[in-house]
Amino acid sequence: MAQGEELRSIGADLHLSVGGVHALLFRTFPKLGAANTVNAVHIAGRMGLLGDRHAPKACPGSVRMPETLVCVLRLVACGHTNAEIGRHFERSEGWAAEQMRAIMRRLDARDRAHAVALAIGAGLIRPPRPEQHVA
């Protein structure tokens, strides 16, 4: 997940169905104290569970991102939904979704979890402290 692999590809590597990968993934959330996949990738990276082989690849070149997008990334990394992010900025859920699409384009990320992993690798954000996790 941290490298942006699709569930189908992960399942093929592990000889599991997509549903089996989902089930395995959801069983890890409580063990990590994660709210969702993005938060799980973030926490696993902080805990050193990804290792060098599975660590997210750093973004090529120098990534420049407006502070608003970095703040959105931080909220996503902590497990917030688009609706929650929209409320944080006193904007709509659609606005938050558009910000996330912009982030993913800039980072060339496949999904939210991949975007967070790439942002950590590029030094744009740091993993949250345990007390910052969303319950």
Side-chain angles (χ1 to χ4, degrees):
M1 297 300 298
Q3 292 183 330
E5 293 294 324
E6 294 181 0
L7 292 180
R8 186 177 322 125
S9 174
I10 293 169
D13 289 345
L14 298 174
H15 305 287
L16 294 171
S17 67
V18 171
V21 174
H22 258 297
L24 184 62
L25 184 61
F26 288 124
R27 284 196 309 262
T28 64
F29 290 176
K31 293 176 183 178
L32 292 172
N36 55 38
T37 304
V38 175
N39 197 220
V41 167
H42 212 181
I43 294 165
R46 176 174 170 72
M47 295 172 72
L49 297 175
L50 299 179
D52 291 338
R53 186 173 143 235
H54 299 292
K57 296 178 180 107
C59 296
S62 175
V63 177
R64 297 184 196 276
M65 197 165 303
E67 185 57 35
T68 299
L69 295 183
V70 173
C71 185
V72 169
L73 261 171
R74 285 185 194 117
L75 292 170
V76 168
C78 289
H80 292 279
T81 65
N82 285 343
E84 292 167 335
I85 293 167
R87 282 192 299 273
H88 175 83
F89 283 96
E90 298 180 352
R91 301 284 188 116
S92 70
E93 181 176 352
W95 176 88
E98 181 53 41
Q99 301 312 299
M100 198 59 226
R101 285 190 291 274
I103 290 166
M104 290 170 56
R105 280 192 303 272
R106 285 174 182 257
L107 295 175
D108 196 25
R110 294 183 188 133
D111 55 34
R112 291 166 75 98
H114 192 212
V116 167
L118 291 171
I120 293 168
L124 289 171
I125 62 173
R126 292 188 308 213
R129 293 183 306 273
E131 64 272 10
Q132 290 178 306
H133 297 173
V134 175

